[in-house]
Amino acid sequence: MKVNNIFDTHAHYADHAFDSDRDELLLSLPENGVKYVMLASSSVDDTRENALLAEKYEYIYAASGVHPESVDTNPTDYLDIVKNTALNSPKIKAVGEIGLDYHYEGYDRDKQIKLFEEQLVLAKELSLPVIIHSRDACEDTLNILKKHKPFGVVHCFSGSAETAKEIIKLGMYIGFTGVLTFKNAKKALKALEAVPLGRLLLETDCPYMSPVPFRGKRCDSSMIAYTAEKAAEIKQIDTQELIDITCENAKKFYSIKD
């Protein structure tokens, strides 16, 4: 499928899945319709690596932040590292990904909430938007978002249409992945219906969440075309038009100018 103007608003190119061909792939993406990529960070190491990748490739930007699953492995000065990386790199355009993840047994709710809120406060201090991760933690995530009222996006959205409406009311954006193309995507498609075009972002979360027909394979930013095709079908507009709209949304969200 030939499209252009893709903005992948959430990718993980520092992931080990790309170690064998990272530069080759990143050099090829603009030739395959990818105009911008935002790298989300999961740890302080990730934050540093993503900042370097963003400096190396003109079309790539990055976020500085720590994922909730890193809560027990962060250095004590993690917040200073996240802050200083953001301050020292003009290609850092957000704080993230941050949030809550209650998916696995043994998670520490209080530690995750503390980590989340510390970074929400930092994002406001830096005047940066936030990239929110929320898995199996909808109620706590919503309550914290209502408390702090950040400018942000809930990425890889997995909630209900009702939750999507609550997030939109807060002035936030919602990002969807290749999950939209899965056979069991009824809930995600209902949520998509509830999101106005002006608040919609597209993402891969690569190397994960590959859309059909690539499900089970390593994902990359060019595959957004298939996610966009499904989203356009739901929104009853042309695929390229939807890609253009979401690209403009993302540029506005991340304060990126051509």
Side-chain angles (χ1 to χ4, degrees), residues 7 13 20 22 33-34 38 49 91 93 104-105 121 125 168 180 182 198 200 218 243:
F7 196 137
Y13 285 116
S20 65
R22 182 177 291 106
V34 178
M38 172 58 61
E49 290 178 36
K91 298 292 289 292
K93 295 291 186 177
Y104 297 106
E105 290 184 14
V121 171
E125 179 187 334
I168 295 301
L180 292 179
F182 296 178
L200 175 63
R218 186 185 73 176
I243 288 173

Side-chain angles (χ1 to χ4, degrees), residues 9-12 38-52 54 61-67 74 77-99 115-116 118-124 126-132 254:
T9 61
H10 195 107
H12 295 281
M38 172 58 61
L39 300 178
S41 295
S42 301
S43 64
V44 292
D45 289 340
D46 221 20
T47 290
R48 293 187 184 105
E49 290 178 36
N50 284 336
L52 292 174
Y61 294 84
S64 180
V66 173
H67 188 285
N74 291 324
D77 62 342
Y78 90 92
L79 204 59
D80 288 334
I81 296 170
V82 169
K83 178 179 179 178
N84 290 332
T85 305
L87 289 173
N88 292 325
S89 173
K91 298 292 289 292
I92 299 287
K93 295 291 186 177
V95 171
E97 62 185 283
I98 65 175
L115 181 70
F116 187 14
E118 284 176 345
Q119 292 181 95
L120 286 172
V121 171
L122 176 63
K124 282 199 174 179
L126 297 172
S127 298
L128 289 175
V130 291
I131 301 169
I132 304 296
Y254 289 121

Side-chain angles (χ1 to χ4, degrees), residues 10 97 131-134 153-158 175 177 203 205:
H10 195 107
E97 62 185 283
I131 301 169
I132 304 296
H133 171 101
S134 179
V153 56
V154 177
H155 105 94
C156 193
F157 188 74
S158 60
T177 66
E203 58 171 282
D205 202 16

Side-chain angles (χ1 to χ4, degrees), residues 6-13 18 25-26 29 34 36-40 97 155-157 175-182 201-212 214 217-228 254:
I6 289 170
F7 196 137
D8 183 354
T9 61
H10 195 107
H12 295 281
Y13 285 116
F18 297 104
L25 175 64
L26 293 179
L29 288 179
V34 178
Y36 302 102
V37 169
M38 172 58 61
L39 300 178
E97 62 185 283
H155 105 94
C156 193
F157 188 74
F176 288 94
T177 66
V179 168
L180 292 179
T181 68
F182 296 178
L201 299 180
L202 293 182
E203 58 171 282
T204 57
D205 202 16
C206 69
Y208 316 107
M209 302 293 183
S210 298
V212 175
F214 304 103
K217 298 180 181 179
R218 186 185 73 176
C219 189
D220 70 62
S221 301
S222 66
M223 296 178 187
I224 275 186
Y226 295 88
T227 304
Y254 289 121

